[in-house]
Amino acid sequence: TFAIGYGGLALGYRALVGSEINAGFIAISAAYALFVGAFFQPMRVRIQTTADKLILRGKYDYYQTLAQLPRKISSSLRLDNILKELHYAFHEVIEVKSPRIYLPTNYQDTKAAFDKYIAWDLKLGSPAQDSRAILVDSPLIAHINSTKNSIDSSALDAGMTNGISQQIEELQSGLTVPCFFQDLLVCLFVLGPKLTEDPYTEQDIALLESLGSYVAAALENTREFESVLVKFLKAEEAAQRSSQLA
């Protein structure tokens, strides 16, 4: 653009004054050269960045949102708020088909044993209806606890032993991301394929695993907080009943 502008300036001036090159022409040329040197690179970067954002808007939003999510999630002590943040990230930014989070059946009871993980509705903040559960003693959970790794369905061996491939297929999972707090499997992200039909990259998986660690820690803090809150509310209700009977 600047080269064309410079060429046009030179041709225009030549047409006006003929072939004479005087001090004015030299001054204008020098000024334009200084202008190009000072502003070309910043303007090129700005124009290119704007064009990239228009063409690759999802990518910019994707990385920016994932970078901001840990801070938002870590500051939240309510399960519904955490799920809403994940709903926005998975549905609106990463654009994943059928994203789900699986939590233990005893999520709100820290001392109770549990035998399966169930899907929660990210938008409603409650257990999803008609969703397939994942048993604690299933091959999938055993594999995840052993490897601590995500499972990309596109990289699975069709003959994988112990029925793991079959479980992944039944869950319609494109990517299964475990969320560990220390050595405890707090929850799982079960994500369908991307709506763009692009594969999950190594960078995608690394970012989602990092997010999973933050979510696991936040959920553990949230569960403890909600447990204490429930006990407080019950004690407050009992105190009010006692005062009414007195």
Side-chain angles (χ1 to χ4, degrees):
T1 301
F2 286 101
I4 294 173
Y6 184 83
L9 177 65
L11 290 174
Y13 189 82
R14 180 183 178 87
L16 289 174
V17 301
S19 59
E20 182 180 357
I21 299 178
N22 55 24
F25 180 83
I26 295 174
I28 293 174
S29 298
Y32 190 80
L34 290 174
F35 172 81
V36 170
F39 296 103
F40 172 73
Q41 184 65 13
M43 290 185 69
R44 185 192 67 79
V45 171
R46 182 178 294 273
I47 292 170
Q48 181 178 342
T49 302
T50 302
D52 287 347
K53 286 184 177 180
L54 290 173
I55 298 171
L56 303 172
R57 181 176 180 83
K59 286 292 184 184
Y60 276 84
D61 289 343
Y62 173 89
Y63 295 121
Q64 184 177 6
T65 300
L66 283 189
Q68 294 174 349
L69 264 182
R71 177 176 54 82
K72 292 182 179 180
I73 288 173
S74 298
S75 63
S76 177
L77 288 175
R78 290 181 58 89
L79 175 61
D80 56 346
N81 289 340
I82 294 174
L83 296 183
K84 285 178 182 177
E85 292 290 349
L86 292 175
H87 177 269
Y88 173 75
F90 292 148
H91 278 278
E92 305 298 332
V93 180
I94 308 176
E95 297 183 337
V96 173
K97 182 180 180 181
S98 303
R100 288 148 288 163
I101 183 171
Y102 278 75
L103 295 170
T105 50
N106 73 327
Y107 172 75
Q108 293 172 315
D109 186 351
T110 57
K111 295 183 179 180
F114 70 98
D115 60 353
K116 58 187 175 183
Y117 294 85
I118 59 174
W120 279 60
D121 189 305
L122 294 174
K123 186 174 183 180
L124 299 178
S126 60
Q129 300 298 321
D130 303 324
S131 182
R132 186 182 297 273
I134 305 176
L135 298 179
V136 171
D137 59 359
S138 67
L140 177 61
I141 297 300
H143 177 79
I144 287 174
N145 277 320
S146 173
T147 64
K148 302 291 192 298
N149 293 330
S150 298
I151 300 177
D152 184 352
S153 62
S154 66
L156 275 179
D157 181 359
M160 200 170 189
T161 59
N162 300 325
I164 296 174
S165 296
Q166 182 180 351
Q167 270 195 281
I168 293 294
E169 184 177 350
E170 290 173 349
L171 290 170
Q172 297 181 338
S173 173
L175 181 68
T176 304
V177 181
C179 306
F180 283 95
F181 178 69
Q182 297 176 354
D183 288 328
L184 176 65
L185 180 60
V186 176
C187 63
L188 302 99
F189 299 153
V190 177
L191 310 177
K194 291 183 180 180
L195 295 179
T196 59
E197 299 183 355
D198 293 331
Y200 287 100
T201 65
E202 291 184 3
Q203 187 175 13
D204 291 333
I205 295 173
L207 286 169
L208 288 167
E209 287 179 341
S210 178
L211 174 62
S213 298
Y214 279 99
V215 169
L219 286 174
E220 279 299 289
N221 292 334
T222 298
R223 183 162 64 167
E224 294 292 339
F225 172 78
E226 291 185 348
S227 176
V228 171
L229 181 61
V230 168
K231 291 178 181 178
F232 172 78
L233 293 176
K234 287 181 178 179
E236 186 180 39
E237 183 179 353
Q240 288 178 351
R241 285 199 302 266
S242 298
S243 63
Q244 291 173 357
L245 294 175

